[in-house]
Amino acid sequence: MTAPNVALRAVRAGMRMSQDDFARALQAAGHRVGAPNDANKRLVQRWESGAIAAPRPIYVRALEVVTGLPIDLLGFASVPGSQVSEDGNGGHDLTSPVSSLATPVPAARSAAAHGSFAGVWLSRYQYHSSGRDQAYTGQHFVVVLQHGDRLTVRSLPGSAASSLSLDLSVDGSVVTGTWVEQTDAAGYYRGARYHGAIQLLAEPTGRRMAGKWVGFGKDMDINTGPWELIFQDASTSKATLDRYNSPADDSRSGV
């Protein structure tokens, strides 16, 4: 008897997506990263029921892009040393986040040390509120996942009242892409959705990316401001994400 994948189901439900919506998002993500897939409602159902224990690599990438979470937090089974298959008989060296046992949190390491930007970062940007005639700083702890020269960045839900996502590409030290922020429904902007472009320069240490964002204001004017990402930890384990899933402020971030 197969065990249902409650973790994946919970993540999808938390995103307020039906199985159809989720499948369409996976297809769109595949096209975006240059690896088209044939995700459909039936495939999502088979994952969630446990009929398929591990997704094929083409779906692993799409799942991480859509959810903003590493694949080992999406509840798929671990079958070390096997090839991934779509029939439930293969694995991908995955671990399930359903376990209540905490795993040790490794010491923070430089992103440059392993040639990857993957890990937890502090995102911090500044903007001017025309309605309040005052400058503000927005901060989130974000999870960065890397596939080749593509970075998927998603905020941890407990780190701020709003949710933030960035889709970036890396060309040497230049990091370019787009951002989307869904503001707090109970906050000043009443759930408004803002989006725009961003370009950053990665420092040689791999511990900081800094640059500018550009986006539109409520009067359809074009605004810009500084944005930086500050490296926190290379781990994306459940224990590490739990540790950073709290309000992002300077005392928590160590800056």
Side-chain angles (χ1 to χ4, degrees), residues 96-253:
S96 171
V98 180
S99 171
S100 61
L101 298 177
T103 56
V105 179
R109 306 182 302 280
S110 168
H114 50 77
S116 171
F117 291 101
V120 178
W121 296 66
L122 172 68
S123 166
R124 183 163 58 195
Y125 64 87
Q126 294 178 9
Y127 65 100
H128 183 267
S129 171
S130 57
R132 293 170 288 183
D133 194 23
Q134 188 173 343
Y136 292 89
T137 298
Q139 296 194 139
H140 301 75
F141 283 121
V142 297
V143 181
V144 178
L145 302 177
Q146 183 164 1
H147 295 281
D149 63 354
R150 301 286 185 137
L151 304 181
T152 299
V153 184
R154 300 291 184 265
S155 61
L156 291 171
S159 68
S162 64
S163 64
L164 179 69
S165 65
L166 299 90
D167 291 292
L168 308 171
S169 61
V170 181
D171 183 2
S173 61
V174 180
V175 182
T176 306
T178 59
W179 61 269
V180 176
E181 183 168 10
Q182 184 70 46
T183 62
D184 179 14
Y188 178 80
Y189 293 103
R190 299 186 180 277
R193 181 179 182 271
Y194 291 95
H195 55 88
I198 182 171
Q199 188 160 60
L200 308 166
L201 291 176
E203 295 183 350
T205 61
R207 300 191 67 88
R208 182 171 178 267
M209 293 181 267
K212 299 279 189 178
W213 62 267
V214 62
F216 63 91
K218 68 178 183 179
D219 297 321
M220 297 308 292
D221 48 348
I222 301 299
N223 300 321
T224 188
W227 199 321
E228 64 178 350
L229 293 172
I230 303 168
F231 178 76
Q232 304 293 307
D233 201 303
S235 172
T236 55
S237 70
K238 184 178 186 299
T240 300
L241 299 190
D242 286 346
R243 183 159 64 91
Y244 283 98
N245 193 26
S246 59
D249 55 39
D250 289 347
S251 63
R252 280 282 291 113
S253 65

